[in-house]
Amino acid sequence: MQVYFAPMEGMTGYVYRNAFHSLYSGVDKYFTPFLSPNQNRAFGPKERMDILPENNKGMKVIPQILTNNSEYFIRALKELEERYGYKEVNLNLGCPSRTVTAKGKGAGFLGKREDLDAFLQKVFEEAEIRISIKTRIGVESPEEFRYLLEIFNKYPLEELIVHPRLQKDYYKGFPNWKEFAKALEENPFPVCYNGDIFTVEDYKRLKMEFPKIERIMVGRGLLRNPMLAEELKKEEPIWEVDKKRLWDFHNKLYESYKKIMSGDRNTLFKMKEFWTYGGCCFPEEEKTLKKIKKASRLKDYEEAVKNLFGIERE
């Protein structure tokens, strides 16, 4: 089983990936938060930092691109290949955010099937780099998915990553396994499952339903439990949190963000974002987690985190 780390906008950039990869195993591919090329440039300064090879050593990183313009996409492909040496990219057709879909991008592009088909035809006429797609099953109705599959099947995709929810579902309800089964059975290319894998038991239920599945993508599950990929590979849960590794992970993130963020406030914002998910490792420490959330100075934040890990103050 291959395990992919799903991109989470604002969270799983190169700082997070490096800290995670230095301490945890089990992830076969890391996907970058989406890159948004436009008429003026392929990538902005922050995006370039995220894709620089020197910022991604030792990891298999796949840049993800968000656009509905074939010219912008092709320009980004060429720069990623020729300047940065990438051999594969991913097209984001899965982002359900209204700010994205209102522009006809991400999952919003799925509602314009003729345009999507023309986009892919143009891209595959010119692209030499491998291309995968991350998609939802439609915008409003599961019935849309069979038409989308007809489009995808026309092209030599590296793989299709399917989050079997509609755009309008966001992350509510249970993923539509009936529609995912169609992708797994009907496509000529590898298919990867994405959606609501938080525990080994979740994985085992998926595997029981789809014994032939060989690839899964996990996002929020890994943010909540950094050991999850290791657990999935072994098909055995690790019942106790490895606090030593989590402490080291936290400290690597914290020190890196302090170096690159402008000001204490921005550093605190990034670390509180980390604890939005990381706090799941400490279900009995709600009071201390609240102190972390309310901290307005780095000193207060550091003291609260030490209390969380049971480390005596100096």
Side-chain angles (χ1 to χ4, degrees):
M1 177 64 65
Q2 294 187 53
V3 179
Y4 302 163
F5 203 145
M8 300 290 285
E9 183 64 20
M11 293 196 67
T12 59
Y14 75 95
V15 171
Y16 188 100
R17 291 195 299 271
N18 277 279
F20 180 94
H21 191 72
S22 70
L23 289 159
Y24 297 99
S25 63
V27 173
D28 298 286
K29 288 184 183 180
Y30 295 85
F31 288 71
T32 71
F34 62 72
L35 311 167
S36 298
N38 59 39
Q39 61 182 356
N40 298 316
R41 46 121 180 111
F43 310 114
K46 289 184 179 179
E47 293 175 329
R48 290 184 188 279
M49 289 295 292
D50 203 43
I51 59 176
L52 282 173
E54 54 264 39
N55 288 341
N56 294 284
K57 293 180 179 179
M59 294 175 276
K60 187 167 186 178
V61 174
I62 310 298
Q64 185 181 86
I65 301 176
L66 178 78
T67 184
N68 57 9
N69 184 299
S70 59
E71 291 184 5
Y72 301 168
F73 189 84
I74 291 166
R75 186 198 312 157
L77 292 186
K78 291 181 177 178
E79 184 162 333
L80 284 166
E81 183 177 22
E82 296 170 6
R83 184 170 181 177
Y84 299 105
Y86 285 97
K87 303 300 181 185
E88 179 185 342
V89 300
N90 180 257
L91 172 64
N92 181 325
L93 297 177
C95 181
S97 169
R98 287 192 178 92
T99 58
V100 169
T101 59
K103 299 174 184 177
K105 301 178 183 180
F109 205 179
L110 300 175
K112 301 178 179 181
R113 292 195 292 271
E114 290 186 4
D115 292 344
L116 175 60
D117 194 4
F119 172 97
L120 292 173
Q121 183 176 356
K122 179 67 173 176
V123 165
F124 279 96
E125 284 175 355
E126 297 196 30
E128 297 181 5
I129 194 172
R130 297 192 299 271
I131 299 170
S132 63
I133 288 177
K134 183 176 187 290
T135 187
R136 293 212 167 200
I137 58 175
V139 177
E140 295 288 339
S141 169
E143 295 298 317
E144 300 170 37
F145 194 44
R146 66 187 180 100
Y147 300 109
L148 293 168
L149 287 176
E150 289 176 1
I151 294 173
F152 297 148
N153 285 346
K154 295 181 182 180
Y155 304 100
L157 300 183
E158 176 69 11
E159 65 184 338
L160 182 67
I161 302 167
V162 181
H163 184 130
R165 282 187 172 99
L166 298 167
Q167 182 268 320
K168 70 174 185 179
D169 294 335
Y170 288 84
Y171 296 96
K172 296 179 294 184
F174 190 78
N176 190 327
W177 283 7
K178 179 181 177 181
E179 294 302 318
F180 177 75
K182 294 178 182 178
L184 202 60
E185 294 168 2
E186 299 175 9
N187 280 309
F189 35 72
V191 174
C192 173
Y193 176 85
N194 173 225
D196 289 19
I197 300 295
F198 298 109
T199 67
V200 173
E201 290 305 313
D202 294 336
Y203 165 76
K204 287 183 176 180
R205 284 192 291 269
L206 178 73
K207 189 70 174 174
M208 185 175 296
E209 184 74 16
F210 305 107
K212 294 182 180 180
I213 196 168
E214 297 179 345
R215 306 164 187 226
I216 58 172
M217 175 178 272
V218 184
R220 292 170 293 158
L222 276 167
L223 294 177
R224 294 180 181 186
N225 173 17
M227 299 184 295
L228 182 59
E230 297 171 9
E231 295 178 346
L232 296 178
K233 290 293 180 75
K234 296 177 181 177
E235 297 193 14
E236 290 290 339
I238 301 171
W239 294 109
E240 292 187 8
V241 175
D242 186 339
K243 290 187 178 181
K244 174 63 170 64
R245 268 202 294 174
L246 189 60
W247 170 250
D248 290 342
F249 180 33
H250 167 272
N251 290 343
K252 281 178 179 286
L253 276 179
Y254 185 45
E255 294 304 319
S256 295
Y257 283 137
K258 282 199 294 183
K259 289 178 182 177
I260 67 171
M261 303 304 295
S262 57
D264 293 355
R265 183 178 179 181
N266 289 327
T267 301
L268 281 171
F269 175 82
K270 295 298 291 185
M271 295 312 302
K272 289 177 182 181
E273 194 173 50
F274 166 79
W275 285 113
T276 300
Y277 293 94
C280 295
C281 294
F282 297 89
E284 308 297 324
E285 298 290 346
E286 185 177 347
K287 184 176 180 180
T288 306
L289 289 168
K290 282 184 178 179
K291 289 183 178 180
I292 290 174
K293 184 178 180 180
K294 293 180 178 180
S296 58
R297 300 182 303 167
L298 293 185
K299 181 180 178 180
D300 296 335
Y301 170 81
E302 291 168 3
E303 289 181 356
V305 172
K306 285 183 178 180
N307 286 338
L308 184 68
F309 281 93
I311 295 173
E312 295 183 4
R313 301 179 190 179
E314 296 177 0

